Amino acid sequence: MKELNRAEICSLLKRAETIAVVGISGTAGKTSRVIADYLLENNYRVAGVNPAAPSIPGISVYKSLLDIPFKIDIVNVFRKSEDIPQLIPDVLQVNPECLWLQLGISNDEAVKPAFEQGISIVQDKCIYVLHQDCKA
């Protein structure tokens, strides 16, 4: 399984318009929230995914990926590596261009079906850091 390289990631971030942040926190200052706010400030359409569906200014939050009523380009995940298998069926149905597991999160076995369906994979990388790097 091949993950995207830096040039491919930069290209993806330039053309992507919508990003679902899975595991978004309702608490300002938490990493998932800081990054979601950053993506919003950088002109992405951001949808949060959290079963508790907290209210977040400027971001619609849904109980699951399947509840999002528009096309998602990148599914950005803030969940533990061992939680990834339960997300995969929804990811396969939503069929984003990329499944992005944040820094510290990876699960080669779990993401394999997404890769086999043609969804690009990024694991153990921070979308904020790479977005900054691609802008430089």
Side-chain angles (χ1 to χ4, degrees):
M1 181 176 64
K2 178 191 167 299
E3 291 190 31
L4 299 182
N5 63 34
R6 182 186 179 281
E8 292 166 331
I9 287 171
C10 290
S11 177
L12 168 69
L13 291 172
K14 281 186 179 87
R15 70 178 175 272
E17 296 176 3
T18 58
I19 300 176
V21 178
V22 176
I24 193 168
S25 175
T27 307
K30 291 267 193 170
T31 305
S32 62
R33 179 69 178 280
V34 169
I35 291 176
D37 288 340
Y38 169 82
L39 294 169
L40 197 59
E41 290 163 12
N42 281 272
N43 302 314
Y44 291 101
R45 181 178 191 183
V46 177
V49 177
N50 182 325
S55 177
I56 299 174
I59 299 175
S60 295
V61 182
Y62 302 89
K63 292 187 184 307
S64 82
L65 278 171
L66 300 180
D67 294 330
I68 299 171
F70 46 84
K71 172 87 174 102
I72 298 298
D73 298 313
I74 299 172
V75 172
N76 182 224
V77 180
F78 288 86
R79 296 284 306 275
K80 293 177 184 164
S81 297
E82 57 267 23
D83 293 339
I84 303 308
Q86 69 194 42
L87 297 173
I88 297 303
D90 288 359
V91 170
L92 295 175
Q93 244 186 290
V94 171
N95 198 31
E97 183 174 348
C98 179
L99 172 59
W100 188 305
L101 306 184
Q102 273 296 131
L103 191 63
I105 306 166
S106 65
N107 190 326
D108 289 342
E109 195 58 37
V111 301
K112 198 179 291 182
F115 178 77
E116 289 169 352
Q117 184 170 302
I119 298 169
S120 298
I121 305 295
V122 176
Q123 297 188 90
D124 193 22
K125 291 185 175 43
C126 179
I127 198 167
Y128 172 91
V129 170
L130 283 158
H131 187 268
Q132 291 281 309
D133 184 47
C134 292
K135 285 189 346 183

